[in-house]
Amino acid sequence: MKVDNFRNYIIAPLTVAMFFSLVSLITWLAGENFITIMNYIYIGIFASLGMVLYAKLPKSKKNRGRKISMFAIGGLLFLVMSVLGRIDGQLEGFFFYIFAGITTGTVSHYFVAKIIGPIFLNRGWCGWGCWTIMILDLFPYKRSDGRLPEKFGWVRYLHFAMSFGLALLLWFGFDYSISSQKWDIAGMYWFLGGNVVYYAIGIALVLLLKDNRAFCKYVCPVSVILKASSTFSLLRIKGKSELCDGCDACTKTCPMNIRIPDYILFGRRVVSSECVMCLTCINTCPTGALEVSLGFDVGGIEMHRQKPLQQKNA
Ligand code: SF4
Ligand code: SF4
Ligand code: SF4
């Protein structure tokens, strides 16, 4: 029997709306310009709207909610940062602007979406706003049969170290410098060039591994920040053991291959740092055993479904 319990979802859009209202208020009190304040209000509206649509739409149309949110947030940010603003939204740009002491634009975006945001909203950026997965998730492989061995997850840390090392080398070794973030043509080329590389690698991995989220699982350097900052996330998926019959349907549809029933078994919320708060598991659960919850706990306990070949060898 399919359970359609809107209450299981509602905490997510409410928390998102409250978080971005608070961020907008703080930026207003801090004297930020009108466009920055409107930007946060806009993101709050579309992220919570996308989640509500996801919860309310019939099963075959649910992903329209996510697409609306991703294209409205990720698509607009990409356009505003790259073509209109001509600033570098890539990780290297984040390092360059920090070296230059520029705290608006990219640094402000990273601070809200990837450093402070995940403490409240978990990796909601990855589930509802990222311009990289916005494109990669158009492919038909929303589910995968499992993850590659854990050692492949280290590629992202190597990628992060290389991005940081490159920024350090150029800034301190070759006198690369930025005096202003506005109309930073070099920054625009960094941003566009970097995204072309990300999309190329991401699409190759999608096709090779038949997994839309392969780039997120193994390569994305930004996930290094997100995994750390979501360790104490208030927002997480929670299971009710009395309703869970262990059917494992949620694990099979989780795009990040998280073994959700195992967390329920151990009496924990889903504290995996890989959860992107996509809400797919809630939609899948036939007994209504899963819900979004607010609480305090420490994350980083990882229980993932591995690819079948690895399970045989384990
Ligand atoms: S892991 Fe990286 S590519 Fe994937 S959704 Fe998050 S930020 Fe985007
Ligand atoms: S645990 Fe649920 S919300 Fe988290 S990534 Fe998996 S399906 Fe999405
Ligand atoms: S889909 Fe629901 S009932 Fe089945 S294992 Fe997951 S939480 Fe339990």
Side-chain angles (χ1 to χ4, degrees):
M1 182 185 64
K2 180 72 193 133
V3 176
D4 181 20
N5 194 342
F6 184 58
R7 284 176 303 173
N8 289 2
Y9 296 89
I10 193 61
I11 288 176
L14 282 180
T15 311
V16 166
M18 284 173 65
F19 174 77
F20 281 101
S21 301
L22 194 63
V23 169
S24 308
L25 181 66
I26 291 169
T27 47
W28 177 63
L29 292 173
E32 282 283 356
N33 62 48
F34 180 71
I35 293 175
T36 305
I37 298 164
M38 287 310 294
N39 171 49
Y40 291 129
I41 293 174
Y42 173 91
I43 292 173
I45 289 173
F46 275 97
S48 40
L49 175 71
M51 288 174 170
V52 168
L53 286 174
Y54 185 87
K56 291 301 283 179
L57 285 171
K59 191 165 184 164
S60 61
K61 296 181 178 152
K62 276 194 186 300
N63 266 319
R64 288 185 190 173
R66 190 186 323 287
K67 277 190 186 150
I68 286 171
S69 176
M70 281 204 169
F71 277 88
I73 298 172
L76 188 90
L77 281 178
F78 186 87
L79 194 69
V80 167
M81 285 173 127
S82 62
V83 181
L84 302 178
R86 297 189 186 176
I87 61 176
D88 185 0
Q90 286 292 93
L91 187 57
E92 295 80 13
F94 171 66
F95 294 135
F96 287 144
Y97 294 131
I98 285 192
F99 295 159
I102 300 169
T103 56
T104 54
T106 297
V107 173
S108 159
H109 163 70
Y110 269 71
F111 190 69
V112 172
K114 294 153 184 174
I115 297 172
I116 294 295
I119 296 172
F120 295 87
L121 310 177
N122 210 333
R123 288 176 59 178
W125 166 256
C126 297
W128 301 89
C130 171
W131 55 73
T132 307
I133 199 67
M134 172 185 88
I135 298 299
L136 300 181
D137 211 25
L138 295 175
F139 284 87
Y141 310 113
K142 291 190 191 300
R143 301 178 189 180
S144 75
D145 61 351
R147 286 180 170 246
L148 294 173
E150 292 295 334
K151 63 186 175 193
F152 286 95
W154 285 96
V155 174
R156 65 177 136 219
Y157 295 99
L158 180 65
H159 191 172
F160 183 90
M162 284 169 63
S163 292
F164 186 51
L166 180 65
L168 278 177
L169 183 70
L170 290 175
W171 195 267
F172 295 104
F174 290 88
D175 288 334
Y176 182 79
S177 67
I178 296 165
S179 56
S180 166
Q181 192 172 219
K182 284 184 184 159
W183 302 104
D184 174 16
I185 298 293
M188 184 183 82
Y189 288 132
W190 268 103
F191 192 30
L192 292 176
N195 275 288
V196 167
V197 173
Y198 279 19
Y199 286 133
I201 295 172
I203 290 169
L205 287 174
V206 167
L207 299 176
L208 188 69
L209 298 174
K210 299 198 177 349
D211 181 357
N212 289 359
R213 288 269 178 183
F215 185 82
C216 305
K217 291 171 193 170
Y218 313 116
V219 182
C220 177
V222 179
S223 69
V224 172
I225 302 173
L226 289 157
K227 281 165 74 69
S229 55
S230 63
T231 300
F232 298 98
S233 175
L234 295 178
L235 207 63
R236 295 193 197 279
I237 301 296
K238 181 181 178 187
K240 300 169 204 158
S241 57
E242 67 280 10
L243 293 180
C244 175
D245 62 9
C247 68
D248 221 19
C250 50
T251 304
K252 286 175 187 152
T253 54
C254 173
M256 299 302 279
N257 308 116
I258 297 167
R259 288 181 2 226
I260 299 154
D262 289 7
Y263 290 91
I264 301 174
L265 197 65
F266 287 107
R268 301 294 306 267
R269 297 199 295 161
V270 179
V271 291
S272 167
S273 64
E274 293 290 280
C275 176
V276 294
M277 285 310 291
C278 65
L279 310 179
T280 306
C281 50
I282 297 181
N283 173 44
T284 305
C285 180
T287 65
L290 297 172
E291 63 182 5
V292 179
S293 69
L294 285 170
F296 296 98
D297 46 21
V298 182
I301 300 169
E302 309 297 345
M303 294 190 269
H304 302 145
R305 181 187 187 208
Q306 303 296 313
K307 282 197 176 288
L309 183 62
Q310 200 199 357
Q311 284 174 347
K312 276 182 206 160
N313 292 339

